[in-house]
Amino acid sequence: MKEQLKELLENCMDHASTEELEVLTDILRGFHKKQNKINSSYIGGLLHMERTMDDKMCELTVPLTPLLNNSLGIVHGGMTATIIDSAMGTLANSLLPEGFGAVTTQLNIHYLSVGTGDYLQCKAHIDHKGTKSMVLSADVHRSDGKKIAQATGSFFIIKKK
Amino acid sequence: MKEQLKELLENCMDHASTEELEVLTDILRGFHKKQNKINSSYIGGLLHMERTMDDKMCELTVPLTPLLNNSLGIVHGGMTATIIDSAMGTLANSLLPEGFGAVTTQLNIHYLSVGTGDYLQCKAHIDHKGTKSMVLSADVHRSDGKKIAQATGSFFIIKKK
Amino acid sequence: MKEQLKELLENCMDHASTEELEVLTDILRGFHKKQNKINSSYIGGLLHMERTMDDKMCELTVPLTPLLNNSLGIVHGGMTATIIDSAMGTLANSLLPEGFGAVTTQLNIHYLSVGTGDYLQCKAHIDHKGTKSMVLSADVHRSDGKKIAQATGSFFIIKKK
Amino acid sequence: MKEQLKELLENCMDHASTEELEVLTDILRGFHKKQNKINSSYIGGLLHMERTMDDKMCELTVPLTPLLNNSLGIVHGGMTATIIDSAMGTLANSLLPEGFGAVTTQLNIHYLSVGTGDYLQCKAHIDHKGTKSMVLSADVHRSDGKKIAQATGSFFIIKKK
């Protein structure tokens, strides 16, 4: 399997553009972060998510690279959704006692501007905490300060098995 | 840069579990698909998206691997959102005359069940086509036939530069 | 109290335009429908909601009068929301065993066209029925057949006291 | 027509309960407010909406009466939606230059608690103002201070005819 992987990498590097080599470097570095438990998911690693958190809010920062772009060359709406759901989910889970988890049941995103610049920053807040469900909101800003998305999400509180 | 990449791969393979080696293989194969223009974005490649389309609907199929999971070990809500936004966006853009594009302005997703099994399949449909905007809907089913998500999205029609 | 009401009606009729007299007639007739249990809520009566239902869908028809208009002279988005929530809620509740009820936890509406013509017709369907929650969808058409709104809603299943 | 109206009122008052007479009084008083242009729509009048506004927010207060209840005896989700859409729409329109109007294209509401008590108070804010569209948010609190709903809405900016 390792020989096959080395060959695969050779194929990827062969005729690769500078952009492609940079994206590939980012991908492998991100994968390694997940291996080293710096990130708790492959996606978090590959997106190089960095987190700041307290009991009121969770902030995620993600550097912008071509890896996050759709085929039109702008940040994929699904990547923005991924950052939002990560920030909300992380905060929701942090607010629950041990043995309980929060799962997204509904997510509503308004896309306001094109995602460009150096990085995206997402801040999630808790709006409502009930006994069975929670509602959170999040804003996403780009590095020049412009808000590119805002969202609300509903989460079910479940007992972990 | 290529030497650095080889070294990075060595680091990733070192002490890697079987799951990690498989994910790494999927990642590099997916990256190569984007390079070979089999997929039009890195995300589409890494998720190994396959597409069927006519003028009424767009269907995307994505195999499930640990790459798509969140830190709880189930499909990340953001990955489901990415598949939905890709299917809707592809269909929306295909319905417009040359020189025009469709950008997501709002996305609302209901998460209904846990994403497990072999693959996810997303079908997007057009619900409303106006002169300035469109509304699309999408359902996501897993390989055992259970619906795991349903969504609606709004798209602005823009003139491409 | 009855004398006061008669005086109030006189005040309302005084200098009233034909439109105003017609709206007033509709209002009192609608109120009387609720009194006679033809409608189960004042709102249902005042909007002269008529219902067709089976175990798959609930259809509500509402005649359009100036009573439903906003200050711009077109159907108020809140009235469309009221018809949608009524249709979804009625269907959701009809699908539950005795002793259980369904309450709206989230409602997402896309407004597609201006509500004009003789009446609005709303059809609600069930999309997902879980043990704790349900998701329903609804379309609203006007009398000339054009779709003016589409919506999805989440409902919690609660035990009635 | 006026004779018919008087007879209708007699029918409504006949065998009416105290609650019904109170609701009827509220309805006629609200109708009269619209006639006297204290409210700009029949709905606003019937709900006895009162407004405070500056260039940053619009606040609407609505007293709670059985008129706003659904058949379960709690505030109808559509009534909460009506208050929200009114507050957002009023603020959106107030922010536009003469000759332009704002129409709701999408409304997403999270219902958090049961609407009870003396009144509901809705505060709408502007979140994003683009050249073609706006996004607003709103919270609804009941008289004991508990938040019962929160919402976001998208509005198209149109040229009035």
Side-chain angles (χ1 to χ4, degrees):
Chain A
M1 203 160 190
K2 291 188 180 181
E3 281 315 303
Q4 198 189 6
L5 266 165
K6 282 184 198 172
E7 212 183 297
L8 249 173
L9 183 67
E10 288 294 341
N11 289 342
C12 290
M13 293 191 305
D14 217 26
H15 310 298
S17 67
T18 310
E19 183 200 287
E20 285 170 348
L21 291 176
E22 283 170 0
V23 170
L24 202 46
T25 306
D26 276 343
I27 287 174
L28 291 182
R29 278 192 186 137
F31 180 88
H32 206 224
K33 280 187 184 171
K34 153 68 171 136
Q35 281 186 306
N36 290 339
K37 301 191 182 4
I38 295 169
N39 289 96
S40 56
S41 68
Y42 292 110
I43 301 154
L46 264 64
L47 296 187
H48 295 269
M49 278 187 195
E50 293 195 4
R51 190 171 81 190
T52 317
M53 199 158 81
D54 58 37
D55 58 340
K56 287 252 172 60
M57 72 94 188
C58 174
E59 183 178 288
L60 293 182
T61 307
V62 169
L64 284 183
T65 72
L67 177 62
L68 285 86
N69 288 351
N70 61 21
S71 53
L72 305 172
I74 53 174
V75 175
H76 195 297
M79 290 298 102
T80 308
T82 299
I83 301 168
I84 289 169
D85 189 44
S86 299
M88 284 185 178
T90 303
L91 182 60
N93 276 286
S94 78
L95 297 171
L96 295 173
E98 209 158 318
F100 291 86
V103 293
T104 320
T105 53
Q106 188 260 339
L107 186 60
N108 182 56
I109 306 172
H110 296 275
Y111 293 95
L112 308 174
S113 294
V114 174
T116 52
D118 297 334
Y119 58 83
L120 294 183
Q121 200 157 50
C122 175
K123 265 188 207 182
H125 295 90
I126 177 93
D127 288 328
H128 172 76
K129 187 165 179 276
T131 52
K132 290 187 290 186
S133 67
M134 289 190 261
V135 173
L136 289 96
S137 60
D139 287 334
V140 184
H141 289 82
R142 57 190 199 199
S143 43
D144 67 0
K146 198 173 175 72
K147 182 161 68 169
I148 66 149
Q150 70 179 68
T152 56
S154 302
F155 289 77
F156 257 153
I157 300 168
I158 56 162
K159 224 173 172 155
K160 280 185 191 170
K161 282 154 208 164
Chain B
M1 202 162 189
K2 290 187 181 181
E3 281 316 303
Q4 198 190 7
L5 267 165
K6 282 184 198 172
E7 212 183 295
L8 250 172
L9 183 68
E10 288 295 340
N11 290 343
C12 290
M13 293 191 305
D14 217 26
H15 310 298
S17 67
T18 311
E19 184 200 286
E20 285 170 347
L21 291 176
E22 282 170 0
V23 170
L24 202 47
T25 307
D26 276 343
I27 287 174
L28 291 183
R29 278 194 185 133
F31 180 88
H32 205 224
K33 280 187 183 171
K34 153 68 172 135
Q35 281 187 305
N36 290 338
K37 300 190 182 4
I38 294 169
N39 289 97
S40 56
S41 68
Y42 292 110
I43 301 155
L46 263 64
L47 295 186
H48 295 269
M49 280 188 193
E50 292 195 7
R51 189 172 83 190
T52 318
M53 199 161 80
D54 57 37
D55 58 340
K56 287 253 172 59
M57 70 93 187
C58 173
E59 184 178 287
L60 292 182
T61 307
V62 169
L64 284 184
T65 71
L67 177 62
L68 284 86
N69 289 352
N70 61 21
S71 53
L72 305 171
I74 53 174
V75 175
H76 195 298
M79 290 297 102
T80 308
T82 299
I83 300 168
I84 288 168
D85 189 45
S86 297
M88 284 184 177
T90 303
L91 182 59
N93 277 287
S94 79
L95 297 170
L96 295 174
E98 208 157 318
F100 291 85
V103 293
T104 319
T105 53
Q106 188 261 339
L107 186 61
N108 182 56
I109 305 172
H110 296 276
Y111 294 94
L112 308 173
S113 293
V114 174
T116 51
D118 297 333
Y119 59 83
L120 295 183
Q121 200 158 51
C122 175
K123 266 189 207 183
H125 294 90
I126 177 95
D127 288 328
H128 172 76
K129 188 166 179 279
T131 51
K132 289 187 291 186
S133 66
M134 290 189 263
V135 174
L136 289 95
S137 60
D139 286 335
V140 184
H141 289 81
R142 57 189 198 198
S143 44
D144 67 1
K146 199 172 175 70
K147 182 161 67 170
I148 66 149
Q150 70 179 67
T152 55
S154 302
F155 289 78
F156 257 152
I157 300 168
I158 55 160
K159 222 172 175 159
K160 279 186 192 170
K161 281 153 210 168
Chain C
M1 203 163 189
K2 290 188 182 180
E3 280 316 302
Q4 197 190 8
L5 267 164
K6 281 184 200 173
E7 211 184 297
L8 250 172
L9 182 68
E10 288 295 340
N11 289 343
C12 289
M13 292 193 304
D14 217 27
H15 311 296
S17 67
T18 311
E19 185 200 286
E20 285 170 348
L21 290 176
E22 283 170 1
V23 169
L24 201 48
T25 307
D26 276 343
I27 287 173
L28 291 183
R29 278 192 185 135
F31 180 88
H32 205 224
K33 280 186 182 170
K34 154 68 171 133
Q35 281 186 306
N36 290 338
K37 300 193 183 2
I38 294 169
N39 290 97
S40 56
S41 68
Y42 293 110
I43 301 155
L46 264 62
L47 296 187
H48 295 268
M49 280 188 192
E50 292 194 5
R51 190 173 82 190
T52 317
M53 198 160 81
D54 59 36
D55 58 340
K56 287 252 171 60
M57 70 93 190
C58 174
E59 184 178 287
L60 293 182
T61 306
V62 169
L64 284 184
T65 70
L67 177 62
L68 285 85
N69 289 351
N70 61 20
S71 53
L72 305 172
I74 53 174
V75 176
H76 194 297
M79 289 298 102
T80 308
T82 299
I83 301 168
I84 289 169
D85 190 45
S86 297
M88 285 184 176
T90 303
L91 182 60
N93 276 287
S94 78
L95 297 170
L96 295 173
E98 208 157 317
F100 291 85
V103 292
T104 320
T105 53
Q106 188 261 338
L107 185 61
N108 182 55
I109 305 172
H110 296 275
Y111 294 94
L112 308 174
S113 292
V114 174
T116 52
D118 296 334
Y119 58 83
L120 295 183
Q121 200 157 51
C122 174
K123 266 188 206 182
H125 294 89
I126 176 94
D127 288 328
H128 172 77
K129 187 165 180 280
T131 52
K132 290 187 291 186
S133 66
M134 292 189 260
V135 174
L136 289 96
S137 60
D139 286 335
V140 184
H141 289 83
R142 58 190 197 197
S143 44
D144 67 0
K146 199 173 175 72
K147 182 161 67 171
I148 68 147
Q150 70 179 67
T152 56
S154 302
F155 289 79
F156 257 152
I157 300 168
I158 55 161
K159 221 171 176 163
K160 280 184 191 171
K161 281 154 210 168
Chain D
M1 203 161 189
K2 290 187 181 181
E3 281 315 303
Q4 198 190 5
L5 267 164
K6 282 183 197 172
E7 211 184 297
L8 250 172
L9 183 67
E10 289 294 340
N11 290 341
C12 290
M13 292 191 305
D14 217 27
H15 310 298
S17 68
T18 310
E19 183 201 288
E20 284 169 349
L21 291 176
E22 283 170 359
V23 169
L24 202 47
T25 307
D26 276 343
I27 287 174
L28 290 183
R29 277 194 186 134
F31 180 88
H32 205 225
K33 279 187 183 169
K34 153 69 171 133
Q35 282 187 305
N36 290 338
K37 301 193 182 1
I38 293 168
N39 289 97
S40 57
S41 68
Y42 292 111
I43 302 154
L46 263 64
L47 296 186
H48 295 269
M49 278 187 195
E50 291 194 7
R51 190 172 83 192
T52 318
M53 199 160 78
D54 58 36
D55 58 340
K56 287 253 171 60
M57 71 92 190
C58 173
E59 183 178 287
L60 293 181
T61 306
V62 169
L64 284 182
T65 72
L67 177 62
L68 285 84
N69 288 352
N70 61 19
S71 53
L72 306 171
I74 53 173
V75 175
H76 195 298
M79 290 299 101
T80 308
T82 300
I83 300 168
I84 290 168
D85 189 45
S86 297
M88 285 184 177
T90 303
L91 182 60
N93 276 286
S94 79
L95 297 171
L96 295 173
E98 209 157 317
F100 290 86
V103 293
T104 319
T105 53
Q106 190 260 338
L107 185 61
N108 181 56
I109 304 172
H110 297 275
Y111 294 94
L112 308 174
S113 293
V114 174
T116 52
D118 297 333
Y119 58 83
L120 295 183
Q121 199 157 51
C122 175
K123 265 189 207 182
H125 294 90
I126 177 94
D127 288 328
H128 172 76
K129 188 164 179 278
T131 52
K132 289 186 291 186
S133 66
M134 290 189 262
V135 174
L136 289 95
S137 60
D139 287 336
V140 184
H141 290 82
R142 57 191 198 196
S143 43
D144 67 0
K146 199 173 174 70
K147 182 161 67 169
I148 66 149
Q150 70 180 69
T152 55
S154 302
F155 289 78
F156 257 152
I157 301 168
I158 54 161
K159 223 172 173 158
K160 281 185 190 169
K161 282 154 207 164

